[in-house]
Amino acid sequence: MSKHSLQQMKERLAQELGRPEHQVIRFAYVQDGEWAEQAFLPACPRLECFSVTKSFTATGIGLAEAEGLLSLDDPLPRFFAAEWPAGADPRLERVTVRHLLTHTMGLGEGILFDHQRYALEETDWLKYALSAPLPYEPGTHFTYSNSTIYLLARILRKAAGVRADEYLEEKLMRPLGMGEHAWEHDPDGETFGAAGLFLSTRDMAKLGLLYLNGGVYGGRRVLPEGWVRRASRCQTGGLGSYGYGFWIFDGLGFAATGAFGQIILVLPEQNAVLAAHAFHPQDVDYPAVMRRILAD
């Protein structure tokens, strides 16, 4: 695929993403360290990222692993022995941190999505997530679920001794120079972690730049290079095109995505990152847009 100039890319992205049917609010495109940004609608600079939040929480697991606070092969009983629900599915004991990162814990359907968790009568979301039936052996079935990443946020609390958002504030958000942001919390005041992060499009792009640059941001190593390599390649054994918190798009790159058209798309061959906020009921196919532009 050809590599366009920054100005060409901004013009083409504005042309493509500015179409009314896409309902894109704003985008930021960074290429070779140079920024291009455009807002199509006047809006609060901090918008919900929806499931892009998952990639921030997954990154927290990489940071905790690097500190020796946990291993991806740690089973759930290591963290939740005191909260283990009576009558839990026997397979639950075999679920590891890695299974949560890759949505392969064995669920038959996803849970704790927006339309579900706000209507729950159960206020103990940890108990609810641990009590879900597991019709599949861990590691053998891919089911995308908010509950898997929520459990990772609760694991960060156990491993680090502080809420997941507090841990990420120190280890990730400050090193990336994030502006004002906010996190959703569960009824117990714990970080939800699977959605509900509010921040600017520009700040979303910073996470992409961290991964684009192999874990280095602003000349400082924030993430181990080994984690970046593992997180950005398929880790599901053919069950789905998913790494550790990122969707994999062969021949293009990898992305954090969220409902209604949120994205951080990392494009290694272009040395670029595209981040966007939108409010599209069926999402926006950003990979198709980028493939179309780059194939010109």
Side-chain angles (χ1 to χ4, degrees):
M1 291 183 177
S2 61
K3 184 174 181 179
H4 299 16
S5 71
L6 181 67
Q7 185 60 34
Q8 287 175 318
M9 287 301 303
K10 180 179 180 181
E11 290 173 359
R12 286 300 311 276
L13 285 167
Q15 179 185 26
E16 291 275 356
L17 300 181
R19 295 176 182 175
E21 64 267 25
H22 286 151
Q23 300 184 45
V24 172
I25 298 169
R26 63 181 62 206
F27 73 81
Y29 184 78
V30 195
Q31 181 174 292
D32 299 329
E34 299 293 324
W35 290 74
E37 300 178 75
Q38 183 153 338
F40 299 106
L41 295 172
C44 172
R46 286 164 295 281
L47 300 165
E48 184 173 355
C49 300
F50 293 91
S51 285
V52 166
T53 309
K54 291 178 171 65
S55 302
F56 284 83
T57 302
T59 300
I61 295 295
L63 291 164
E65 181 194 48
E67 287 195 280
L69 299 178
L70 54 77
S71 163
L72 300 196
D73 295 320
D74 285 338
L76 291 193
R78 179 198 160 183
F79 305 101
F80 302 122
E83 297 88 357
W84 207 256
D89 194 303
R91 293 188 175 99
L92 190 64
E93 294 186 3
R94 299 191 286 278
V95 174
T96 66
V97 173
R98 192 185 311 274
H99 293 137
L100 299 179
L101 276 169
T102 56
H103 298 282
T104 58
M105 70 178 290
L107 292 168
E109 60 181 356
I111 59 173
L112 286 181
F113 292 114
D114 289 1
H115 65 285
Q116 298 167 326
R117 66 183 183 276
Y118 300 142
L120 274 182
E121 294 184 5
E122 175 61 72
T123 59
D124 187 341
W125 291 3
L126 179 58
K127 176 183 176 182
Y128 182 78
L130 292 173
S131 300
L134 301 177
Y136 302 99
E137 184 66 24
T140 66
H141 189 80
F142 179 91
T143 299
Y144 185 78
S145 179
N146 273 1
S147 62
T148 59
I149 309 301
Y150 168 63
L151 288 172
L152 290 179
R154 297 300 298 262
I155 283 172
L156 278 176
R157 157 64 108 167
K158 293 282 189 175
V162 295
R163 284 198 324 255
D165 62 306
E166 294 173 326
Y167 180 74
L168 285 163
E169 183 67 28
E170 177 187 353
K171 303 294 182 179
L172 182 67
M173 311 306 261
R174 288 179 194 163
L176 297 190
M178 295 290 188
E180 185 178 352
H181 51 275
W183 296 78
E184 179 182 346
H185 295 88
D186 72 6
D188 291 326
E190 296 293 336
T191 313
F192 181 52
L197 173 60
F198 289 74
L199 78 171
S200 69
T201 310
R202 187 180 183 90
D203 283 345
M204 277 206 309
K206 292 177 181 178
L207 183 71
L209 286 172
L210 176 66
Y211 277 83
L212 178 68
N213 294 321
V216 173
Y217 188 87
R220 172 186 174 184
R221 176 155 298 282
V222 178
L223 265 177
E225 186 176 4
W227 172 266
V228 173
R229 286 197 303 269
R230 287 182 289 151
S232 59
R233 69 172 185 244
C234 185
Q235 295 288 348
T236 54
L239 299 175
S241 298
Y242 202 78
Y244 294 155
F246 291 94
W247 294 96
I248 313 303
F249 297 94
D250 289 339
L252 185 67
F254 55 96
T257 67
F260 309 114
Q262 325 315 313
I263 198 163
I264 306 170
L265 177 59
V266 182
L267 303 155
E269 289 189 13
Q270 308 302 314
N271 194 31
V273 171
L274 171 66
H277 277 107
F279 200 78
H280 191 291
Q282 278 82 46
D283 296 333
V284 182
D285 192 346
Y286 295 100
V289 168
M290 288 304 305
R291 291 183 193 278
R292 189 160 56 245
I293 292 174
L294 296 174
D296 284 349

